[in-house]
Amino acid sequence: MGALRDLPSRVYAAAASYLAFTLACALLGLADRLSVLLAILSAASPQLSPLFLSIMLAVSAYAEGKLALLAALAPLLPLIFLKGLQGWHASLGVLLASLLALAGGKFSPVFIGFLYAIASSEEPRHAALSGVVFASTLFLFAALALPAPAWVGGLIKVPGGLAETLSSTPLEAVNAGQVYLKLLEEAARDRSLALSFAVMVASAFAASLLSEEIGAQRSAVLAPLLLAVMPLTSALEVETIAWLTGLLVAVTTSGAASTLSSVKPKPVRLPAVTRRRYGAPSQQSQLLFRDLLPLAGRIREACSSGEYRYLLFLGLSLEDEKSFAELVTGRECSAKVLLLHSLAPEEALSLDPGETLVVYIPPLTTEEAVRILSSVLGFPVEAIETIGLEALSRLKYLDRSSLGKVASLADSLISRGYPAKRAFETAILSMAPSYTPELAALIESVLSRYMVIGLRGR
């Protein structure tokens, strides 16, 4: 079931990495023999697909003895991987869009528009890196693949004619350095080149900033309009009808793609309670503690049996302990209910082990936290899994009550026009981690001292 659930993401990773790699190889004059292997690896581990793609490009250049090309690619490949750490979907999307913009001919503005659809759904620093990766890829590949400088889609001027520089001397590192030196010389001599690079990065950043104020769809339409600066300042180089058409296509594509990506899917095959508004505390608690509800019978039995004097609830936060205790103990309990976070550490460790039962609320794994958010928000699991690695890795350090707050904040942001992915990331990163080393040490001490129910696998 897990593999089927992840199938769309795996197919996207395989297809996007395969197409980006074959395009890159075609533009650089490399054989694409590793494309099938790359697709298989990307499907097996989508999160690592940008890393796999970077490695395969480097290996292909090295295997063909094109060490100068490898050295020229060296500054770009880590940027692709770094973008992948922020979010592999966006990394592959930006890379593929830049290569298609270069190779797309009259369809280039369509792929330029995709940059703004992606950037408008990201937070500003992620969007800025998207702009840098897009512009850097476009400029470096154009410099090595095109015979002379050219206008892409009538909107962006790119360099060209530098392929011969890779073989100008017997020293590969020197040749690679010459490529970048000539790029700088060309940019200094032709202001359209420097302006194109700067405006692409700035407009991607602006798409993100604007989305916070006016929503992603509107910002995806407005941000590409900044591209008009280049043809307007180089009126003699580009025909008016060409750049106006290109700008219209880019704006239309960006707006349409952003609108489609922001459509909130309907909940599918979820329990009826998840289709209701999760504002009701009892409903939300049942979702947040659903994996622990099978313990309710044993806890109530401990309450009524009189075997234990103390029932100590142990979780990552006072809110978790209080909510779960109210959910499972019922109205009457002969044992005294204690919450770890309401006690001093020495007080929690001074209870009589023979009279104390600990009810453990264990930390969630990343996968469990994603499933809970999916249930509360009504989004498919794979939609939440597309968030950046920084946000995804923080989930396992949050307590369950914080996940409820994440869901509430994300829903609020989406209703204000935020794209779902960005809303998830913003909400998650706004929460402070609950599972700290100090708490972990206290939990270990408590678990080793008392009788416990709720441990994993028991």
Side-chain angles (χ1 to χ4, degrees):
M1 290 297 291
L4 288 176
R5 186 193 67 213
D6 296 338
L7 185 60
S9 293
R10 295 180 188 277
V11 171
Y12 170 74
S17 58
Y18 177 90
L19 184 55
F21 180 74
T22 53
L23 269 174
C25 288
L27 290 169
L28 297 175
L30 296 172
D32 59 2
R33 288 186 291 267
L34 298 175
S35 57
V36 174
L37 176 60
L38 172 61
I40 294 172
L41 291 174
S42 297
S45 183
Q47 291 83 359
L48 295 177
S49 51
L51 174 61
F52 293 146
L53 195 153
S54 299
I55 292 174
M56 294 300 183
L57 277 177
V59 169
S60 297
Y62 180 81
E64 297 187 29
K66 297 184 177 182
L67 300 184
L69 175 59
L70 175 58
L73 291 173
L76 175 63
L77 298 182
L79 282 178
I80 297 172
F81 174 61
L82 180 60
K83 182 62 192 172
L85 293 179
Q86 293 181 348
W88 65 270
H89 282 79
S91 179
L92 290 179
V94 168
L95 178 62
L96 185 55
S98 63
L99 294 173
L100 287 170
L102 181 58
K106 62 182 181 180
F107 297 104
S108 293
V110 172
F111 305 110
I112 293 173
F114 281 123
L115 167 65
Y116 299 98
I118 294 171
S120 65
S121 69
E122 297 181 300
E123 60 180 82
R125 61 193 178 96
H126 292 183
L129 185 55
S130 291
V132 169
V133 171
F134 187 97
S136 299
T137 303
L138 190 61
F139 267 55
L140 182 57
F141 277 73
L144 299 176
L146 299 182
W151 285 86
V152 175
L155 298 171
I156 302 168
K157 189 169 186 180
V158 295
L162 299 185
E164 294 181 357
T165 307
L166 293 175
S167 56
S168 58
T169 76
L171 300 175
E172 286 81 1
V174 172
N175 294 339
Q178 293 257 11
V179 169
Y180 286 97
L181 181 60
K182 289 193 174 183
L183 277 174
L184 290 175
E185 290 175 351
E186 286 293 323
R189 185 165 49 248
D190 186 347
R191 68 175 182 177
S192 295
L193 286 174
L195 190 60
S196 291
F197 191 99
V199 169
M200 273 193 292
V201 176
S203 56
F205 183 67
S208 177
L209 289 179
L210 284 172
S211 70
E212 296 180 351
E213 302 297 328
I214 61 176
Q217 291 78 41
R218 292 187 181 90
S219 79
V221 170
L222 292 178
L225 296 177
L226 293 173
L227 295 176
V229 171
M230 279 87 75
L232 284 174
T233 56
S234 307
L236 299 179
E237 296 185 44
V238 191
E239 294 182 3
T240 303
I241 188 64
W243 73 260
L244 281 175
T245 301
L247 186 63
L248 178 61
V249 171
V251 167
T252 303
T253 301
S254 178
S258 178
T259 300
L260 288 174
S261 67
S262 67
V263 174
K264 181 175 179 179
K266 296 179 180 179
V268 179
R269 301 175 70 179
L270 294 175
V273 68
T274 66
R275 299 193 189 103
R276 303 170 189 163
R277 295 299 296 174
Y278 56 79
S282 61
Q283 295 174 4
Q284 186 171 350
S285 292
Q286 288 180 12
L287 290 173
L288 296 176
F289 297 98
R290 184 166 56 186
D291 59 312
L292 299 177
L293 291 181
L295 299 176
R298 293 175 61 188
I299 296 170
R300 289 185 180 124
E301 182 181 348
C303 272
S304 61
S305 67
E307 181 180 355
Y308 297 99
R309 184 178 178 186
Y310 302 108
L311 208 57
L312 177 60
F313 282 79
L314 169 57
L316 301 189
S317 69
L318 180 62
E319 291 83 359
D320 273 12
E321 294 161 355
K322 182 178 180 181
S323 297
F324 189 56
E326 292 175 350
L327 188 63
V328 298
T329 56
R331 297 185 176 225
E332 297 181 3
C333 186
S334 60
K336 183 176 182 180
V337 175
L338 301 175
L339 309 179
L340 177 78
H341 281 77
S342 66
L343 305 175
E346 56 273 13
E347 187 178 358
L349 294 171
S350 65
L351 302 173
D352 185 345
E355 297 181 332
T356 305
L357 177 65
V358 171
V359 179
Y360 184 40
I361 308 169
L364 294 164
T365 65
T366 300
E367 293 75 17
E368 289 169 335
V370 167
R371 284 197 295 270
I372 286 177
L373 285 178
S374 172
S375 297
V376 174
L377 282 166
F379 278 85
V381 167
E382 55 268 20
I384 300 174
E385 288 177 334
T386 63
I387 63 177
L389 186 61
E390 181 184 1
L392 196 63
S393 61
R394 182 172 294 191
L395 284 174
K396 62 184 177 183
Y397 298 106
L398 298 182
D399 62 293
R400 296 160 192 255
S401 299
S402 292
L403 284 182
K405 296 172 185 176
V406 165
S408 179
L409 177 55
D411 194 62
S412 173
L413 293 173
I414 291 170
S415 68
R416 287 164 46 194
Y418 273 58
K421 177 176 178 288
R422 186 173 177 189
F424 298 150
E425 292 176 341
T426 302
I428 292 168
L429 294 175
S430 70
M431 301 294 162
S434 308
Y435 194 38
T436 62
E438 296 78 14
L439 177 59
L442 177 59
I443 289 175
E444 182 63 30
S445 298
V446 172
L447 296 181
S448 63
R449 178 173 173 78
Y450 302 114
M451 179 71 69
V452 180
I453 60 173
L455 289 172
R456 299 288 186 183
R458 298 189 183 181

